[in-house]
Amino acid sequence: MAYAVELKNIKKVFPGTVANDNISLEVEQGEVFAIVGENGAGKTTLMNILYGLYEPDAGEIYIFGKKVENNSPRKAIKLGIGMVHQHFMLIPKFTVYENIVLGEEFVKNGILLDRNKAREEVKRVSQLYGLEVDPDEKVENLPVGIQQRVEVVKVLFRGAEILILDEPTAVLTPQETKDLFKTIRSLKESGKTVIFISHKLKEVLEIADRIAVLKNGKLKGIENARETDERKLARLMVGRDVIFEVPKREKKPQDVILEVKNLVIMGDKGIPAVKGISFYLRKYEILGFAGVEGNGQRELVEALTGLRPVKEGKIIIKGKELTEFDPWVLRRQGVAHIPEDRRDRGLVLPFSVSHNLFIGRQREGFFSGRLFLRKDNIDSFSKQKVEEYDIRPHNPELVVDSLSGGNQQKVVVAREVSYEPDILVASQPTRGLDVGATEFVHEKLIEQRDAGRAVVLISFELDEIMRLSDRIAVLYGGEIVGELSAEEVTEEELGLLMLGLKRYEKREVPA
Amino acid sequence: MNVYETIVSFITSAIQFGTPIILAALGGVICENAGVVNIALEGMMRMGGFFAVLGSYITARSFDPILGGIDPRSGNPWFGILLAILVGVLVGLLHGYISITLRGNQIVSGVAINVFALGGMTFFLERFFSTTGHSPSVASFMGQPLIPGLSGVPIIGGIFGNLNVFNWLALILPFVIHFYLYHTAMGLRHRSVGEHPKAADTLGVNVYRIRYIATIGSGILAGLAGASMSMGQLDLFDNHMPSGLGFIALAAMIFGKWTPIGTLFASLFFTLASVAQSYVQSAAPQVLKYIPVGFWLALPYILTIIVLVSFVGRAVAPAADGTPYEKGEKL
């Protein structure tokens, strides 16, 4: 029997990088085939080539034994390939069925959009595979897990035999991930081939039959899931041994340094995004906020750092009320901020590494005199930081935009830590980073905690929250639905809290 | 004038004043729903307005017995419309080429077209009619009802019996375009390209083709809007045309939330100010003693500013409006 997919010597070069270097692999029909690798290893590029979004510079593609020429998404769909993209390809303002039939619409009377037929077909396909969706709901009103389901239905509606799932679990809660895995297994049972892209090794080991490892655009090996383990895969992926456990010294929290009382913060749509939350934070402590994206995390971070006004409630830092809508003041009071989007808020991309390392502190005497910047001081400061944080390449004069994501994040972390803050607010500090860079950022956060600082950690990655936090608060619908000590919590329980299926009564904040 | 006549004249003039705004704003709706911002409406109207007159003028053949020479009013106004459409297609293509194929800045392209139209039409006016004021009167649709028979019909006759071809287009096209955008398969694709071109592309929708269709359609509508001024409201091209109506049309499109029917009513709303002004001047000149004529002339623009300031924040544009799309761009 012919392979479902056969790639032969695929090569793709982007300006400055070889994204795929001579990759050959075969995927059998009816198997779940995983592709793992760090960010920038070339996984997504490879799949975009298979799906016809990119033209390969060299190499051949065979689908069910037939050679594919002049590939395009339209052609790939016809050949039975469906792709669920990492960033959903859904139109928020359109309904579920409009999104599903787009490009393959049913037509009556020559030109009229046949909406009823569309609804029926969407229902039929979704029931066939046990993927219930409401055809008339607008996509923007759906939770992420359901949006992903819509994507899968969209692909099945087009008659896909081979499904490519690009980092499908990145945005899901543990429960939603379980549902997804159930779906994948049932797809496999009905004879579909699934290609699963991920950098989460645990998941891949759970769901895949075979696992291909990519590194720097090269295929490092294909492993049978049953005969391999996390360490082995990680070594192939990173090229060295990876430490999964972060060494953390014993807890020794001291006095309360940050107190938040009945905080209400308005969201962008003019309705409260954070609805009266209270919590406290002590020195030598990391408080992790778990939760699905969009449950008030962003607004909370912005209020804590002075980027968004507080509607009601108080923020008390070191015993002083500082409910300020002014980042300058808060920074001077010892609040540093690693923002969730380093490219948007963390860095001035066209500026050099050196300037990004002290920006925000340009009024300090060390960095500037009356009129001019003190180039000597800036140079020695940035040289030292570049060494200390191993920001590569080791050249502070480079434009920060030209650095890799991990090194860009190192610049942000280096700057924020250099404030020597009392409170470090870290929002999604490892988003989009590969294993190595993640490890580095985690070490730094722990280091800050052990140096007596208080860290607020916001992350959508449960693993990260559980690994780093001393205490965990779960945000759901703008409220804290549970506050737990990191030792006693299970992933299961956090998942239930995150989905709003369980909640604890409010705990009083100690005076 | 009795009440019935007043109402009829009010509605008739609202339609007549509103026609260029409606047509141009519809051009904006078509363009921006496919994700291409079009601030060139003003310039496109100006070109359409000039070339419509030129088209009518160059088809003139009969001899003028009194003044001698060819009588400019003996041409074929339909040829004028044809030329306006043709020019619309060309400018639409140009805007498309810059903003779709070259992925240029759509605002810059729009400004360039506006600036070109300003100088270019003055040049052509000078070149063809040896003036920088206005062209001679040509054969036009001014005061030419499309269906004169309707004027005999009771109640509606007073309004519809007077409408020229442009007025009819302005009343019918919003519904045609609404039907297209919201009830056809092609319309669904059209809007998808304006909302999320990458998603549309992954489903095999041809983003570039739809965007070209949109910019060209927009050029045609704006060209007709210009023609409706020079060949519908008047029978000549005045160098001041379209005196900012293209920008009011943009405001109407925003106020109408980028929907064709919303835009129709938004355009009529803006027109009310012009109607009020002409009504005051003709029927109640004593008011001018207290509120000077300049204020009435400025009223449409003042309304535009007020509406834009108070509604723009809430109006939601198509998500990908103004964003060039590049196939195969790194994700």
Side-chain angles (χ1 to χ4, degrees):
Chain A
M1 194 174 63
Y3 290 112
V5 177
E6 198 177 349
L7 300 176
K8 280 189 180 167
N9 308 319
I10 296 289
K11 187 165 185 175
K12 175 77 187 173
V13 182
F14 285 116
T17 49
V18 181
N20 286 157
D21 193 357
N22 221 18
I23 293 182
S24 301
L25 52 83
E26 296 93 29
V27 181
E28 276 167 37
Q29 202 178 335
E31 79 169 332
V32 178
F33 187 88
I35 301 178
V36 299
E38 299 202 286
N39 290 301
K43 301 170 299 217
T44 301
T45 305
L46 188 64
M47 288 304 108
N48 280 335
I49 287 172
L50 178 56
Y51 189 63
L53 276 173
Y54 297 160
E55 189 80 24
D57 296 324
E60 293 165 357
I61 304 170
Y62 295 83
I63 305 296
F64 295 116
K66 258 197 281 181
K67 188 171 176 191
V68 185
E69 311 255 15
N70 298 322
N71 204 5
S72 70
R74 191 165 267 256
K75 197 158 196 180
I77 292 167
K78 278 215 182 89
L79 290 167
I81 301 176
M83 183 153 175
V84 173
H85 297 265
Q86 185 176 0
H87 307 286
F88 296 155
M89 293 293 167
L90 294 172
I91 297 163
K93 276 193 223 161
F94 283 17
T95 63
V96 166
Y97 78 82
E98 283 174 335
N99 267 291
I100 290 173
V101 302
L102 179 63
E104 303 275 329
E105 304 87 352
F106 299 102
V107 171
K108 60 183 177 189
N109 302 336
I111 50 165
L112 262 178
L113 195 58
D114 193 341
R115 293 174 186 274
N116 286 328
K117 185 89 193 291
R119 284 188 192 99
E120 278 164 29
E121 276 300 302
V122 166
K123 270 193 192 142
R124 190 184 64 76
V125 174
S126 67
Q127 274 160 12
L128 189 64
Y129 296 96
L131 296 162
E132 295 294 328
V133 288
D134 174 6
D136 282 294
E137 189 59 72
K138 274 199 178 162
V139 164
E140 62 191 353
N141 300 332
L142 295 175
V144 179
I146 306 292
Q147 290 191 13
Q148 189 173 59
R149 196 179 291 173
V150 174
E151 282 277 40
V152 174
V153 175
K154 187 165 97 181
V155 161
L156 291 170
F157 167 79
R158 270 148 238 270
E161 287 300 321
I162 302 163
L163 287 91
I164 307 168
L165 308 178
D166 189 4
E167 302 267 4
T169 60
V171 291
L172 301 183
T173 62
Q175 270 77 6
E176 288 173 327
T177 301
K178 263 187 196 158
D179 284 347
L180 175 70
F181 283 5
K182 230 182 272 168
T183 304
I184 292 178
R185 288 198 188 98
S186 84
L187 289 172
K188 188 183 158 183
E189 267 163 38
S190 51
K192 310 274 183 197
T193 307
V194 178
I195 302 179
F196 186 98
I197 303 174
S198 182
H199 62 252
K200 295 184 189 168
L201 302 178
K202 256 189 224 156
E203 287 175 355
V204 161
L205 285 164
E206 185 184 339
I207 192 71
D209 298 310
R210 290 193 303 147
I211 302 162
V213 183
L214 292 189
K215 180 175 183 258
N216 296 336
K218 289 197 179 82
L219 182 64
K220 284 289 166 187
I222 298 180
E223 303 271 320
N224 271 323
R226 251 170 282 150
E227 295 155 17
T228 187
D229 60 30
E230 221 172 321
R231 276 176 203 284
K232 202 166 164 196
L233 289 174
R235 201 178 313 128
L236 282 174
M237 240 167 97
V238 185
R240 63 177 165 83
D241 285 320
V242 177
I243 306 141
F244 284 98
E245 294 304 313
V246 187
K248 199 159 72 171
R249 274 175 240 157
E250 59 177 305
K251 278 169 89 171
K252 45 175 178 177
Q254 295 181 358
D255 15 337
V256 171
I257 193 163
L258 169 70
E259 242 185 296
V260 166
K261 287 184 177 169
N262 302 318
L263 208 60
V264 177
I265 310 160
M266 303 303 268
D268 291 336
K269 287 179 184 159
I271 46 169
V274 171
K275 301 165 187 162
I277 65 171
S278 303
F279 63 88
Y280 66 92
L281 180 59
R282 293 169 292 194
K283 287 182 171 182
Y284 295 98
E285 192 175 48
I286 296 181
L287 172 61
F289 278 93
V292 180
E293 188 164 3
N295 277 287
Q297 292 95 329
R298 194 160 59 86
E299 289 79 5
L300 175 61
V301 168
E302 288 179 0
L304 287 177
T305 52
L307 292 163
R308 186 180 283 263
V310 169
K311 174 95 174 158
E312 279 169 37
K314 285 181 186 167
I315 297 171
I316 299 161
I317 296 169
K318 292 183 276 187
K320 208 158 87 180
E321 186 181 343
L322 276 169
T323 321
E324 301 273 353
F325 177 34
D326 187 342
W328 178 259
V329 171
L330 284 162
R331 277 194 176 275
R332 293 292 149 313
Q333 294 300 324
V335 180
H337 177 202
I338 300 173
E340 65 171 10
D341 188 342
R342 61 181 160 267
R343 296 177 61 81
D344 187 35
R345 282 201 165 157
L347 297 165
V348 182
L349 293 172
F351 280 18
S352 66
V353 170
S354 152
H355 283 181
N356 271 289
L357 278 168
F358 80 95
I359 196 163
R361 304 175 66 184
Q362 63 276 15
R363 291 187 220 178
E364 288 176 21
F366 178 81
F367 295 106
S368 69
R370 268 171 187 279
L371 278 176
F372 299 103
L373 293 173
R374 297 198 149 153
K375 201 168 176 325
D376 291 352
N377 284 355
I378 292 169
D379 283 351
S380 63
F381 175 81
S382 50
K383 209 167 267 168
Q384 184 229 329
K385 291 293 167 201
V386 163
E387 300 282 326
E388 185 186 337
Y389 284 80
D390 192 21
I391 297 165
R392 291 186 197 196
H394 282 219
N395 179 0
E397 294 314 312
L398 286 179
V399 170
V400 86
D401 198 12
S402 67
L403 268 52
S404 73
N407 283 298
Q408 288 180 358
Q409 189 71 341
K410 282 180 180 177
V411 174
V412 175
V413 173
R415 181 185 64 222
E416 296 305 317
V417 167
S418 77
Y419 273 88
E420 301 187 348
D422 297 310
I423 300 165
L424 179 60
V425 180
S427 181
Q428 295 249 69
T430 61
R431 185 168 78 166
L433 300 188
D434 58 38
V435 181
T438 301
E439 203 181 27
F440 180 87
V441 171
H442 285 177
E443 273 166 19
K444 280 287 160 196
L445 290 178
I446 297 280
E447 200 179 290
Q448 289 300 299
R449 163 200 184 263
D450 291 346
R453 288 171 185 150
V455 179
V456 179
L457 171 69
I458 281 94
S459 173
F460 308 136
E461 299 280 348
L462 256 191
D463 273 358
E464 179 166 86
I465 292 275
M466 295 182 68
R467 210 175 282 165
L468 299 179
S469 312
D470 297 302
R471 286 186 296 131
I472 299 172
V474 183
L475 278 174
Y476 175 76
E479 293 176 89
I480 294 181
V481 293
E483 205 200 291
L484 313 126
S485 136
E487 283 95 50
E488 60 195 32
V489 75
T490 63
E491 196 169 312
E492 187 73 41
E493 186 178 17
L494 278 181
L496 291 173
L497 289 164
M498 281 162 70
L499 285 176
L501 298 172
K502 183 178 178 180
R503 70 182 294 157
Y504 293 105
E505 288 311 307
K506 266 184 200 162
R507 252 193 237 180
E508 283 306 306
V509 179
Chain B
M1 231 173 12
N2 62 29
V3 176
Y4 171 72
E5 280 172 356
T6 311
I7 293 173
V8 165
S9 86
F10 211 79
I11 295 177
T12 314
S13 38
I15 295 172
Q16 274 164 0
F17 278 111
T19 292
I21 301 179
I22 295 168
L23 290 173
L26 286 176
V29 167
I30 286 213
C31 206
E32 305 215 348
N33 267 291
V36 182
V37 166
N38 189 354
I39 63 157
L41 292 176
E42 175 88 0
M44 291 175 168
M45 282 175 83
R46 184 166 164 85
M47 294 188 214
F50 176 83
F51 280 97
V53 166
L54 188 68
S56 174
Y57 178 81
I58 56 176
T59 48
R61 289 288 175 270
S62 16
F63 188 73
D64 186 334
I66 301 161
L67 297 172
I70 302 260
D71 180 1
R73 274 168 300 188
S74 65
N76 184 347
W78 291 99
F79 189 75
I81 288 192
L82 188 70
L83 204 59
I85 290 176
L86 212 69
V87 168
V89 170
L90 288 177
V91 198
L93 260 175
L94 176 69
H95 187 49
Y97 183 69
I98 296 171
S99 40
I100 303 165
T101 305
L102 300 182
R103 289 181 282 280
N105 185 308
Q106 301 171 5
I107 304 289
V108 173
S109 167
V111 170
I113 290 172
N114 284 338
V115 171
F116 167 75
L118 198 62
M121 295 314 107
T122 307
F123 170 77
F124 284 135
L125 201 58
E126 174 87 53
R127 171 80 184 68
F128 287 104
F129 302 112
S130 313
T131 168
T132 52
H134 60 77
S135 74
S137 291
V138 296
S140 74
F141 298 95
M142 181 175 70
Q144 305 273 327
L146 186 68
I147 316 171
L150 278 180
S151 58
V153 181
I155 302 177
I156 61 158
I159 297 169
F160 293 99
N162 288 320
L163 301 184
N164 65 30
V165 56
F166 299 109
N167 305 140
W168 280 107
L169 281 176
L171 287 185
I172 293 166
L173 282 178
F175 298 94
V176 173
I177 293 171
H178 171 86
F179 178 81
Y180 163 73
L181 283 178
Y182 297 100
H183 296 285
T184 70
M186 187 67 188
L188 186 72
R189 295 178 187 195
H190 191 120
R191 287 182 294 130
S192 76
V193 165
E195 290 289 340
H196 195 337
K198 187 117 211 161
D201 192 14
T202 58
L203 299 176
V205 173
N206 191 330
V207 176
Y208 293 161
R209 191 174 70 194
I210 287 181
R211 288 198 164 176
Y212 266 108
I213 290 173
T215 51
I216 291 170
S218 167
I220 293 175
L221 283 163
L224 284 173
S228 79
M229 295 182 80
S230 62
M231 303 272 288
Q233 295 176 338
L234 295 172
D235 58 359
L236 53 82
F237 178 81
D238 186 287
N239 202 13
H240 292 111
M241 282 180 185
S243 56
L245 285 197
F247 293 111
I248 292 186
L250 268 181
M253 170 195 77
I254 294 168
F255 190 33
K257 300 200 160 160
W258 285 269
T259 65
I261 293 175
T263 296
L264 167 66
F265 287 107
S267 305
L268 289 175
F269 172 78
F270 284 127
T271 308
L272 282 182
S274 308
V275 176
Q277 169 235 326
S278 86
Y279 180 79
V280 165
Q281 274 188 321
S282 63
Q286 65 275 20
V287 174
L288 295 179
K289 258 191 266 170
Y290 306 103
I291 307 173
V293 68
F295 172 79
W296 295 99
L297 289 173
L299 197 55
Y301 305 94
I302 295 171
L303 267 184
T304 307
I305 290 172
I306 292 172
V307 164
L308 283 186
V309 167
S310 41
F311 284 88
V312 150
R314 270 168 276 167
V316 181
D321 203 6
T323 322
Y325 179 65
E326 190 169 358
K327 229 175 140 63
E329 191 180 12
K330 254 197 116 171
L331 292 168

